[in-house]
Amino acid sequence: MTPRLRLAVADWALSFDDRENVPEAVFEMQCMICHAVSGPGDTEGEPSQLWALRHTGRHPNHRVFKLVTATFWRVDPMPSNPYADVTPTP
C-alpha cells in the first residue's frame, strides 16, 4: 500500500521512484577503522562487498564495515490534487 497524506485540500502519494534511469538502490561500504569508502555502486552490492574484502586483504586488522544504502522516492499528486496537471521541475 502506498502511504498517503492529506495536506490542506491536496492529496499526495509517496512511492518508490521506479522511473527509467533511476537506480533501485546505491550501495557504498565504509571501513569503520580508517573510514575509507568503496565509492557508490548502483543496484548490486557486490562491488562494495568485493571492495571490503580487498580492503581487509590489504589491511588485515580492518574487519568492520558499515553498509550505506540509498533508495530513491518521489511524491506525486493524486488525481484530485490541483497540481495533478503541473509538470514537476526536473
Side-chain angles (χ1 to χ4, degrees):
M1 182 175 152
T2 301
R4 295 180 184 173
L5 177 65
R6 175 169 229 137
L7 299 174
V9 295
D11 289 325
W12 298 87
L14 175 67
S15 61
F16 185 74
D17 193 345
D18 59 356
R19 293 175 297 164
E20 189 176 331
N21 297 323
V22 175
E24 224 174 278
V26 173
F27 299 98
E28 216 171 37
M29 198 70 80
Q30 180 180 14
C31 175
M32 298 307 293
I33 305 302
C34 70
H35 305 289
V37 179
S38 66
D42 288 358
T43 307
E44 294 181 17
E46 188 176 340
S48 299
Q49 294 169 19
L50 292 174
W51 177 88
L53 291 167
R54 283 195 294 276
H55 185 78
T56 298
R58 289 189 300 274
H59 310 280
N61 61 335
H62 294 205
R63 301 179 189 180
V64 182
F65 296 87
K66 174 173 67 173
L67 175 65
V68 179
T69 306
T71 57
F72 301 90
W73 294 76
R74 59 183 287 126
V75 174
D76 290 306
M78 298 299 289
S80 62
N81 187 313
Y83 294 101
D85 296 328
V86 175
T87 304
T89 305

